[in-house]
């Protein structure tokens, strides 16, 4: 029995892994294992022999079982040590950079414009891109026969045969949001409305979809002087340099008087620099809100007055970021987007300010 004991203790100590150990367990104390067989022989012994051999065999079996358990634990520990040694991770390594998308210049500029006007107390309003004829035209003092309708190259939606209501339009400007805001909140008002507008026009400087930001301020004593201050303040903040403006008398059905506004600029080697020189670049239409427009928005023109303006966002983006071709904005060319796009954390926020 001592031989048996020594043999298994030695074999267990030398087992290389859990599989080898399991084989040894079967061989020694499994159903048909050497020690189990020995225990079966107890039956053939005399009671006296059994009294001596029984406890000895039991003790041997226990000893082998303990040795197996101890070795099993030692092997598991060693395996864990080995894994810890092999599978380490250097958490100080820089991450693998996944390719990130970029913020489109139009989105970027829209955020910039919003941040600047928000600073001056303007809230953001929105309206639908598919607009009724009334909001896009009539309410803005552009009656059915008015030449401005034809000039705007309007996209009309389709009406079913026999349906004689005027078709809806893709809004040709953001001005219908003026009316919607007046209806929704009444006077006083101070809002901007950035968004998409549509006109059937396509060449180097026109795309059938483009972006405007409308501005509207209504109160009891709003003046053209305040319009000029707000716009100059805006351009100076937007371009990061003092920008002079020039107001030219113009005509819009929904403002009276009306002015087109140019910003000071200079042409240098085929590109334009804003805020210096003595050239001028037209960037927006504006004026004092026409009394008929206030009326259409349920605001009493005898009590309230205001200014409105509409700026081309795409034009602003081209000027500020030196982007030469308008059409490329909407081509979705990845190379262009990566070149002119912005990292998401550069986007201005109300709390973070303009610089990225
Ligand atoms: N809606 C005009 C346009 O699209 C711009 C404008 C807005 C003019 C507000 C005056 C007042 O051209």
């Amino acid at each position: 029995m001592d031989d048996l004991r020594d043999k298994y203790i030695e074999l267990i100590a030398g087992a290389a892994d859990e599989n080898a150990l399991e084989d040894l367990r079967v061989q020694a104390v499994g159903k048909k294992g050497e020690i189990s067989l020995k225990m079966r022989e107890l039956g053939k012994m005399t009671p006296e022999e059994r009294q001596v051999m029984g406890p000895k065999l039991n003790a041997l079996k226990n000893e082998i079982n303990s040795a197996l358990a101890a070795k099993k634990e030692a092997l598991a520990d060693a395996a864990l040590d080995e894994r810890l040694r092999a599978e380490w991770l250097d958490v100080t390594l820089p991450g693998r950079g996944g390719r990130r998308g970029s913020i489109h210049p139009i989105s970027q500029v829209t955020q910039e414009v919003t941040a600047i006007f928000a600073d001056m107390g303007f809230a953001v309003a929105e309206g639908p891109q598919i607009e009724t004829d009334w909001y896009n035209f009539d309410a803005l003092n552009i009656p059915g026969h008015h030449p401005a309708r034809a000039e705007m190259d309007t996209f009309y939606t389709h009406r079913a045969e026999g349906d004689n209501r005027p078709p809806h339009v893709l809004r040709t400007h953001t001005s219908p949001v003026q009316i919607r805001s007046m209806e929704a909140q009444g006077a006083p008002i101070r809002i901007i409305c950035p968004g998409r507008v549509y006109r059937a026009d396509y060449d180097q400087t026109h795309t059938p979809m483009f972006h405007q930001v409308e501005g509207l301020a209504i109160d009891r004593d709003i003046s053209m002087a305040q319009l000029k201050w707000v716009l100059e303040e805006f351009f100076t903040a937007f371009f990061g340099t003092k920008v002079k403006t020039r107001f030219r008398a113009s005509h819009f059905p929904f403002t009276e008087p009306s002015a087109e506004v140019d910003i000071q600029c200079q042409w240098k080697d085929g590109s334009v620099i804003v805020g210096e020189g003595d050239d001028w670049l037209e960037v927006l239409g504006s004026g004092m809100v026409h009394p008929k427009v206030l009326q259409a928005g349920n605001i009493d023109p005898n009590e309230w007055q205001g200014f409105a303006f509409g700026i081309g966002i795409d034009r602003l983006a081209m000027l500020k970021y030196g982007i030469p071709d308008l059409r490329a904005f909407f081509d979705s060319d990845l190379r262009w987007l990566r070149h002119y796009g912005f990292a998401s954390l550069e986007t201005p926020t109300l709390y973070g300010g303009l610089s990225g």
Side-chain angles (χ1 to χ4, degrees):
M1 224 188 285
D2 282 344
D3 288 350
L4 210 51
R5 178 192 168 279
D6 292 346
K7 171 178 146 191
Y8 278 112
I9 292 299
E10 194 178 329
L11 283 171
I12 288 169
D17 54 31
E18 286 198 39
N19 286 337
L21 198 62
E22 175 62 11
D23 289 346
L24 283 173
R25 190 189 65 77
V26 173
Q27 210 180 310
V29 293
K31 255 192 202 154
K32 292 177 185 165
E34 252 184 299
I35 294 169
S36 309
L37 292 178
K38 279 259 176 319
M39 288 179 110
R40 242 177 261 175
E41 285 169 17
L42 287 173
K44 293 179 214 147
M45 294 178 191
T46 62
E48 291 75 27
E49 281 176 317
R50 203 181 304 144
Q51 221 159 41
V52 180
M53 290 302 282
K56 278 196 171 181
L57 271 171
N58 256 330
L60 174 60
K61 189 181 173 189
N62 287 340
E63 191 182 348
I64 297 296
N65 272 329
S66 314
L68 283 165
K71 181 66 181 179
K72 190 168 180 177
E73 204 179 303
L75 282 173
D77 281 354
L80 182 61
D81 282 346
E82 173 59 19
R83 271 187 66 190
L84 288 174
R85 200 187 56 74
E87 294 179 10
W88 64 281
L89 185 70
D90 184 352
V91 294
T92 66
L93 284 176
R96 266 179 239 119
R99 201 189 260 291
R100 264 164 298 163
S102 60
I103 303 292
H104 195 284
I106 298 293
S107 306
Q108 174 82 8
V109 166
T110 302
Q111 295 291 329
E112 292 175 7
V113 169
T114 304
I116 296 169
F117 279 109
D119 213 22
M120 293 193 270
F122 287 78
V124 173
E126 287 186 306
Q129 294 175 38
I130 300 172
E131 193 48 286
T132 67
D133 185 70
W134 188 80
Y135 280 111
N136 196 77
F137 295 123
D138 296 84
L140 290 163
N141 194 30
I142 313 174
H145 55 79
H146 199 282
R149 291 211 183 195
E151 275 164 30
M152 275 194 173
D153 302 307
T154 312
F155 284 113
Y156 291 92
T157 61
H158 188 72
R159 281 265 187 231
E161 187 106 27
D163 186 340
N164 292 323
R165 291 174 300 165
H168 285 9
V169 301
L170 298 189
R171 67 178 179 195
T172 58
H173 50 180
T174 41
S175 298
V177 184
Q178 287 190 32
I179 307 294
R180 289 182 175 276
S181 301
M182 291 181 204
E183 285 179 340
Q185 68 177 86
I189 296 181
R190 220 188 287 179
I191 52 126
I192 57 161
C193 165
R196 292 181 174 165
V197 300
Y198 302 84
R199 292 182 201 175
D201 206 351
Y202 189 67
D203 60 36
Q204 199 173 348
T205 52
H206 297 92
T207 50
M209 186 279 297
F210 59 104
H211 301 79
Q212 290 187 333
V213 57
E214 193 82 6
L216 176 67
I218 293 177
D219 213 321
R220 298 195 183 271
D221 52 5
I222 294 275
S223 73
M224 202 105 175
Q226 288 163 342
L227 169 66
K228 187 167 166 94
W229 181 85
V230 164
L231 290 176
E232 287 197 345
E233 202 64 12
F234 165 71
F235 285 119
T236 299
F238 181 76
F239 288 108
T241 175
K242 182 90 197 131
V243 179
K244 280 194 205 132
T245 61
R246 182 174 75 173
F247 279 53
R248 273 182 298 105
S250 180
H251 177 264
F252 298 102
F254 32 91
T255 44
E256 181 59 37
S258 303
E260 276 173 321
V261 177
D262 303 337
I263 52 174
Q264 175 198 11
C265 72
Q266 183 179 3
W267 290 93
K268 228 184 216 165
D269 311 321
S271 58
V272 65
I273 300 160
V274 175
E276 50 186 71
D278 16 69
D279 268 336
W280 298 96
L281 200 73
E282 185 197 320
V283 285
L284 67 90
S286 67
M288 298 302 290
V289 180
H290 196 291
K292 282 190 176 170
V293 173
L294 292 170
Q295 248 156 8
N298 299 323
I299 289 179
D300 183 356
N302 296 313
E303 270 192 63
W304 305 95
Q305 59 189 31
F307 65 69
F309 57 82
I311 314 179
I313 291 183
D314 318 73
R315 169 65 71 86
L316 287 184
M318 292 170 78
L319 286 172
K320 180 163 176 179
Y321 295 112
I323 303 170
D325 187 348
L326 174 69
R327 288 172 300 190
F329 273 101
F330 312 116
D331 282 345
S332 302
D333 182 329
L334 275 179
R335 292 164 303 174
W336 188 93
L337 291 168
R338 281 177 193 139
H339 180 77
Y340 286 110
F342 293 81
S344 53
L345 293 177
E346 283 173 37
T347 307
T349 54
L350 291 184
Y351 44 89
L354 271 191
S355 54

